[in-house]
Amino acid sequence: MNRVTCINKDDRNNPYERITHLGGTNSRGGRWKRTQKEVISMIDAGTHSFYVSVDGDRVNLVTAVSPHGNKYVKTEADGDKPNNLLSLPECK
């Protein structure tokens, strides 16, 4: 599993702008950074899984489609914050 610890967005201060990249660590501790499109492809193909850690709990990432037909990643409903991904810090 790949833990997501940071994101990049088109406009960091706008909560509605699109995530462009996700980054984090893999199960061996290695660092990674991928485009959102790459992450979507990996999740949809079933080759990789991704998660965020929220208050010590693991929350999986899933793909979704916007009302305009654009694919994006989001966290599964976890009963906590609705913006688990958007609250992550900027990837360097």
Side-chain angles (χ1 to χ4, degrees), residues 48-59:
H48 293 77
S49 55
F50 299 85
Y51 74 95
V52 295
S53 183
V54 178
D55 298 327
D57 294 328
R58 184 177 287 190
V59 183

Side-chain angles (χ1 to χ4, degrees), residues 4-23 33 36 52 81 83-92:
V4 178
T5 59
C6 63
I7 61 168
N8 294 121
K9 290 176 30 177
D10 287 337
D11 179 353
R12 185 69 194 171
N13 296 320
N14 184 341
Y16 303 104
E17 284 300 312
R18 195 170 115 88
I19 293 173
T20 60
H21 292 78
L22 298 96
K33 184 176 177 182
Q36 178 172 235
V52 295
K81 295 189 244 177
N83 61 346
N84 293 326
L85 273 177
L86 297 177
S87 63
L88 292 174
E90 189 78 10
C91 293
K92 305 233 184 237

Side-chain angles (χ1 to χ4, degrees), residues 39-92:
V39 171
I40 289 168
S41 293
M42 290 183 226
I43 292 171
D44 287 349
T47 59
H48 293 77
S49 55
F50 299 85
Y51 74 95
V52 295
S53 183
V54 178
D55 298 327
D57 294 328
R58 184 177 287 190
V59 183
N60 293 322
L61 267 64
V62 295
T63 60
V65 180
S66 76
H68 300 289
N70 299 314
K71 280 192 128 179
Y72 65 99
V73 292
K74 67 177 189 170
T75 54
E76 292 179 320
D78 64 351
D80 288 326
K81 295 189 244 177
N83 61 346
N84 293 326
L85 273 177
L86 297 177
S87 63
L88 292 174
E90 189 78 10
C91 293
K92 305 233 184 237

